[in-house]
Amino acid sequence: MSILTINCGSSSLKASLFLTDGSRRNFRYEHISDDKTHSLQDAFQNLLNDLGADKPALVGHRFVHGGEITDAARNIDDTERVRLNSLIHLAPLHLPSNLLGLDLCRKLFNVPQIACFDTAFHAVMPELSKRLPIPDELNLHRFGFHGLNYAYIAKTLPGIIGDTARRKVIAAHLGSGASLCLMENLQSTDTTMGYTPAGGITMGTRSGDLDPGVMVELAKRYSPEQLNDIVFHKMGLLALSDGESAEMQDLLASQSVHAKFAVEYFCQQVRAAIGALAAKAGGIDALVFTAGIGEHAAEIRQKICTPLAFIGFSLNPELNRINATQIGQAGSKPVVIIPADEEIMIRDLCLNTIE
């Protein structure tokens, strides 16, 4: 059957239509106004126009947070729609757009709608990785995110580096949102993000992990609504660059002291996370870069990997420059670039869900 995959981000709509003949059509639309509802409606109207005579028999949606469930995907009926709405506070930067895209698709396409969850890949993490050092009765734990792409990496990596893929691997999903995942036997055993997608390493507008005392102090100064806006929209690279940009591409092109500082800070954070995960695993056998920065920013990969020679990673400058699939120097442990493709995983999960 033909399957339409939908990925409603905070600033864009990505979609892929997988046709019955095995072909694939990809679409991307940027939001065109500050009014998210209006702009996303326009994006979906453009999608509908571009689809033309091709209509889906099923629509699969990326959902950043699935809550406490461990299901990788679920059919969205009215009960599930209500449950998803109750999770908005866990991912306020993403879930409103995810839900708006779902509601628009339910109006446009009278076909089954399937939710596919980024958190599901990490459900198998051991308790040592899930547990937060807080009272257990608070019932809060680490979820982990970017799971659809990590699942795609787990599916793809053996075809690139063979049996080494089943050993200890760190995948670095580096984009506007960023996290790292430690995989053993192609399963998640640890990750940098936590209870929400605001934790872990520094991101475009999110700080990553902070001293809890900083949050206590900020809570004294701002209302909950103001603090939520600061945490998700005004920290990270944007703050480190003194408001210059949250986009790595802009920061790399800039000559300002603040931009250069933000770049160095980001690379140091990623290196530190790689070192921490390697220490937890007792060593590491391969490193994967993915997502916008990870796939396209050769300078960032070089800055991250140069100090990692002590754990066996070094880059071939030319292969790194051209964004080759394998970019490790001769004698290095495998260093791989895998372009993110959550859409393939959404398609596969949809097919599994209806079987």
Side-chain angles (χ1 to χ4, degrees), residues 6 15 90 92 108 123 139 142 191 197 235 251 267 299 316 324 345:
I6 298 292
L90 295 174
L108 292 172
N139 196 31
R142 298 176 67 237
T191 187
M235 292 188 169
L251 297 174
C267 293
E299 181 178 346
N316 178 301
M345 296 312 302

Side-chain angles (χ1 to χ4, degrees), residues 74 77 95 254:
R74 275 189 173 185
D77 55 17
L95 282 181
S254 174

Side-chain angles (χ1 to χ4, degrees), residues 264 266-276 303-305 307-308:
E264 292 298 332
F266 177 83
C267 293
Q268 179 174 272
Q269 286 246 308
V270 177
R271 288 196 302 268
I274 291 171
K303 286 179 178 292
I304 290 169
C305 288
L308 296 179

Side-chain angles (χ1 to χ4, degrees), residues 11-15 27-31 43 46-48 50:
S11 62
S12 66
L13 164 65
K14 292 192 295 183
F27 310 89
R28 183 183 179 98
Y29 309 94
E30 301 300 322
H31 290 174
N46 290 334
L47 173 61
L48 193 63
D50 290 341

Side-chain angles (χ1 to χ4, degrees), residues 9-11 31-43 92-98 100 104 233:
S10 57
S11 62
H31 290 174
I32 58 176
S33 76
D34 291 332
D35 178 355
K36 187 174 291 186
T37 301
H38 175 70
S39 62
L40 201 54
Q41 286 177 338
D42 289 343
L93 191 64
H94 303 89
L95 282 181
S97 295
N98 297 162
L100 182 55
L104 290 170
H233 299 284

Side-chain angles (χ1 to χ4, degrees), residues 156-215:
T156 307
L157 191 59
I160 301 173
I161 62 173
D163 289 342
T164 302
R166 296 189 173 275
R167 300 175 71 181
K168 298 168 183 177
V169 175
I170 293 175
H173 180 113
L174 307 181
S176 295
S179 71
L180 291 89
C181 177
L182 172 63
M183 293 189 285
E184 298 185 47
N185 197 27
L186 304 176
Q187 292 187 320
S188 175
T189 58
D190 206 344
T191 187
T192 54
M193 278 184 172
Y195 175 64
T196 75
I201 62 172
T202 297
M203 294 167 261
T205 62
R206 287 167 272 171
S207 67
D209 291 344
L210 280 177
D211 172 359
V214 173
M215 298 307 298

